[in-house]
Amino acid sequence: MSATEIKFSGFGGQGVILAGIIFGRAASIYDNKFATLTQSFGPEARGSACSAQLIVSDDRVLYPYVTKPEILMAMSQEAFNKFLPETTDDATVIIEEELVKPQGLKPGMKVYGIPATRIAEELGRKMILNIVMVGFFTSVTGLIDYEAVREAVKASVPQGTEVMNLKAFDRGYQYGENLK
Amino acid sequence: MKADPKGVMTGAHFLDGDHACCEGALSAGCRFVAGYPITPSTEVVERIAARFPMVGGIFIQMEDEIASSIAIQGAVWAGAKAMTVTSGPGFSLMMEHIGLAVMLETPCVFVNVQRGGPSTGLPTLPGQADMMQARWGSHGDYEIIALCPNSPQECYDLTIKAFNLAETYRVPVMLMMDECVGHMTEKVVIPDAGEIDIVERRFTTAKRGEYLPYETYGDWVPPMVKSGDGHYFHMTGLTHDERGYPVMNAEAQEKCVHRIVNKIKENADDIILLREADTEDADVVVVSYGITSRVALKAISMAQAEGIKVGHLRLITAWPFPETRIRQLADQGKALVMPELNYGQMYLELQRVVEGRTRSHLVPHGGGTVHDPEVIFRKIKEAVQ
């Protein structure tokens, strides 16, 4: 692997940025890779489609911005519609399947869907849907080591919520494993 | 001296450049920050406001940047290590007081997270167009030091360096970040406090009544006083003698300006930090600083893949400008290519030093994003022909 460009997206409040931070932390602190995370801060970042861009690489990242994501995580329809055209023709697209109807996909793309919001609600807290997505992402992409991401989840969520978040992570991960 | 462990968050972290700058200040022993939050530097003071009180430090959100830039100088003379944090529009307002810091030889740090300008410009997007302002923005003749980090790790490391240089030379030091580096999140390793070198303030040993605030005793830099030790002296932005009192004549002016300028110029070799790669047998050398130095490396690897002999000279210290090294490269006939996020600021300095010794090429950019490596690559190809 040289470098992989990833875009995490959804609407504000779903924990999009935190999902990006968790993977960046997992890759660079717990998995001996290099990771560079950037976000949009301008007026284009306001409104409902929010995103974080992450480059994961075996070598130091030189050019800091994501230009053509090979992996898109979309947790809302608007984010999906906005960011799908930026992706590579053979991109891996990971969606919250009850919030996103994937249209306009190219033939080479791989799509993985999970009802993350429903799973999060079953676990008792709708707001941990991003961690369910993170678990699912870890499984279907295989990009970053499972233990590394798990450690990063632990280190990134508010103190006292680790148990619930790790449960959410494992549920998402297992859902991905069951698709294989 | 080593760092006070109280402020040092030892470990591997995933931090953005702004937050890393805050941690660097804490590690350096900075315990006073006055600022007026402005994008894209806001996250620096946001973290400072949360972190400083936990280690006995103070953050004051002032009424504006003019007040911020003078409050830090009061804090320094009261014994603290201090800095202020801003972006272009605020930096403009601070110019008067940067001159005062130069004149009073107040060791302090100014952080400028550069955004696109002029005026309010592009608050959320990067630029490198305050480089000449950092050097010449205040009136009068003087020298300052400016450092240019290209990663969150360097935002941490160079903030410490900035404080150490400020204390060593009693000069305001500019940390010239940019929006891209400030808002970029990467791994930042903070060492044990015992591994961080800190330059402590040098205090006078003079008895009460015998202290001469601007007497250097043959050195370039005079010692300071510990506030409360009973030394009385006069501080003024007017031209002063070694007692600190205003003296309105050409001899005093010459003595004053000569030392303010030459304490930096004469020590330039000790101050200047460079990174260099593949310059030895290069036909072209790309000279760059800050975020552009990373993008330049990408362009260099593209050129090297085509067999072009191209090297990289990275200015970690932009001011004082590394004249000696650039002149050497020019004398060896290497073509120089300089990309920067402005329409040619440090390039003016490069041209001045090169003086027709070799060909030099600017890769200008108005800011708002970083260079497309392809554009730098094309200029390298042009330069080699």
Side-chain angles (χ1 to χ4, degrees):
Chain A
M1 184 193 76
S2 51
T4 308
E5 298 192 356
I6 310 163
K7 189 150 207 154
F8 300 91
S9 68
F11 51 77
Q14 280 183 318
V16 170
I17 307 294
L18 183 62
I21 288 174
I22 288 170
F23 278 106
R25 182 170 275 143
S28 64
I29 313 267
Y30 302 110
D31 204 8
N32 278 320
K33 291 182 166 74
F34 291 86
T36 300
L37 180 82
T38 53
Q39 302 162 52
S40 293
F41 283 81
E44 78 284 0
R46 304 290 172 260
S48 46
C50 155
S51 74
Q53 289 85 243
L54 182 71
I55 304 175
V56 176
S57 177
D58 288 334
D59 308 307
R60 194 177 171 214
V61 177
L62 299 175
Y63 187 81
Y65 297 128
V66 165
T67 50
K68 227 162 168 38
E70 296 146 78
I71 306 175
L72 172 67
M73 180 203 272
M75 296 195 274
S76 77
Q77 188 69 47
E78 201 177 334
F80 175 86
N81 295 346
K82 185 173 173 185
F83 299 120
L84 187 75
E86 296 177 4
T87 58
T88 56
D89 291 347
D90 57 351
T92 300
V93 182
I94 296 164
I95 56 172
E96 206 302 0
E97 66 180 15
E98 293 185 351
L99 298 176
V100 178
K101 293 279 156 280
Q103 294 147 349
L105 293 166
K106 296 203 172 112
M109 291 177 170
K110 290 181 289 294
V111 182
Y112 299 95
I114 178 172
T117 312
R118 188 142 48 85
I119 292 172
E121 278 169 352
E122 280 167 25
L123 289 168
R125 228 174 175 172
K126 192 180 166 182
M127 67 182 288
I128 56 175
L129 92 139
N130 62 335
I131 307 298
V132 178
M133 291 295 288
V134 164
F136 184 59
F137 185 108
T138 307
S139 161
V140 299
T141 65
L143 185 67
I144 303 162
D145 177 63
Y146 165 85
E147 283 300 333
V149 185
R150 213 167 181 277
E151 281 304 309
V153 169
K154 242 191 280 179
S156 306
V157 299
Q159 267 186 358
T161 68
E162 292 93 340
V163 174
M164 176 178 285
N165 276 293
L166 288 176
K167 213 181 272 177
F169 173 75
D170 285 336
R171 277 289 295 275
Y173 186 82
Q174 204 47 55
Y175 194 94
E177 292 296 292
N178 292 344
L179 291 182
K180 287 178 183 173
Chain B
M1 273 291 291
K2 298 296 175 186
D4 174 3
K6 209 163 59 170
V8 181
M9 209 173 76
T10 302
H13 307 276
F14 196 57
L15 292 179
D16 72 20
D18 279 3
H19 286 181
C21 171
C22 164
E23 293 304 325
L26 282 167
S27 292
C30 174
R31 292 295 181 268
F32 184 93
V33 173
Y36 186 74
I38 178 171
T39 304
S41 72
T42 306
E43 290 84 350
V44 183
V45 289
E46 191 178 38
R47 190 175 180 104
I48 282 170
R51 287 271 287 138
F52 268 48
M54 292 161 69
V55 298
I58 290 168
F59 169 69
I60 305 179
Q61 179 168 331
M62 301 296 291
E63 65 267 38
D64 59 29
E65 289 89 346
I66 300 175
S68 305
S69 59
I70 195 65
I72 61 166
Q73 297 184 47
V76 169
W77 282 98
K81 287 189 176 180
M83 75 172 185
T84 187
V85 183
T86 191
S87 186
F91 202 49
S92 292
L93 292 174
M94 293 179 178
M95 287 301 134
E96 165 76 18
H97 288 149
I98 288 174
L100 185 68
V102 166
M103 197 59 154
L104 295 177
E105 300 182 64
T106 307
C108 52
V109 174
F110 290 77
V111 178
N112 179 354
V113 187
Q114 295 172 91
R115 62 196 223 183
S119 190
T120 27
L122 293 170
T124 58
L125 296 169
Q128 293 182 306
D130 303 347
M131 298 306 297
M132 276 294 171
Q133 189 187 26
R135 173 68 184 87
W136 294 112
S138 198
H139 54 276
D141 220 349
Y142 62 94
E143 293 272 338
I144 50 87
I145 296 171
L147 307 174
C148 304
N150 77 2
S151 65
Q153 179 69 55
E154 283 195 351
C155 290
Y156 173 80
D157 296 338
L158 294 183
T159 302
I160 299 173
K161 185 85 193 161
F163 276 98
N164 286 347
L165 287 167
E167 294 296 337
T168 305
Y169 298 103
R170 280 188 60 180
V171 68
V173 178
M174 320 285 156
L175 185 74
M176 301 302 282
M177 293 169 54
D178 62 75
E179 186 277 337
C180 185
V181 157
H183 281 161
M184 167 200 292
T185 308
E186 289 185 335
K187 180 180 182 177
V188 175
V189 177
I190 299 181
D192 287 332
E195 292 166 21
I196 304 169
D197 289 322
I198 298 297
V199 175
E200 283 302 326
R201 192 156 297 165
R202 201 158 57 87
F203 292 110
T204 182
T205 50
K207 292 199 191 77
R208 251 183 231 194
E210 290 174 11
Y211 174 58
L212 296 169
Y214 293 101
E215 172 58 62
T216 64
Y217 303 99
D219 201 348
W220 281 110
V221 183
M224 292 178 75
V225 284
K226 263 199 179 113
S227 185
D229 274 3
H231 299 284
Y232 293 88
F233 67 97
H234 188 76
M235 295 176 81
T236 176
L238 289 167
T239 296
H240 42 259
D241 62 9
E242 60 279 2
R243 298 169 307 152
Y245 287 108
V247 181
M248 301 295 101
N249 64 43
E251 290 98 302
Q253 171 72 0
E254 180 57 33
K255 203 172 166 193
C256 192
V257 174
H258 178 85
R259 195 169 57 73
I260 279 170
V261 168
N262 283 301
K263 70 176 175 180
I264 304 301
K265 275 194 164 173
E266 292 291 324
N267 290 298
D269 289 346
D270 291 335
I271 296 168
I272 290 168
L273 288 169
L274 300 171
R275 288 274 184 285
E276 215 169 309
D278 308 319
T279 47
E280 205 58 40
D281 63 343
D283 297 322
V284 184
V285 175
V286 179
V287 183
S288 60
Y289 57 92
I291 186 62
T292 308
S293 61
R294 284 174 69 153
V295 182
L297 280 175
K298 183 101 181 174
I300 287 168
S301 63
M302 289 160 80
Q304 286 174 339
E306 289 203 1
I308 299 173
K309 286 181 177 168
V310 52
H312 190 207
L313 177 68
R314 180 178 161 223
L315 318 183
I316 295 174
T317 314
W319 302 114
F321 193 71
E323 300 190 7
T324 313
R325 185 59 189 138
I326 292 200
R327 204 166 282 133
Q328 281 167 355
L329 292 169
D331 279 335
Q332 291 162 12
K334 299 175 194 305
L336 302 177
V337 170
M338 187 170 215
E340 49 182 342
L341 292 180
N342 58 55
Y343 265 69
Q345 294 197 4
M346 298 310 290
Y347 181 67
L348 289 177
E349 196 68 2
L350 182 96
Q351 277 185 314
R352 177 185 71 75
V353 170
V354 167
E355 280 183 306
R357 287 174 167 87
T358 186
R359 287 160 294 130
S360 63
H361 304 262
L362 170 68
V363 193
H365 192 301
T369 183
V370 297
H371 284 79
D372 179 348
E374 186 73 35
V375 174
I376 304 173
F377 169 52
R378 281 204 296 271
K379 192 62 88 176
I380 294 169
K381 272 169 103 168
E382 196 184 312
V384 85
Q385 279 159 13

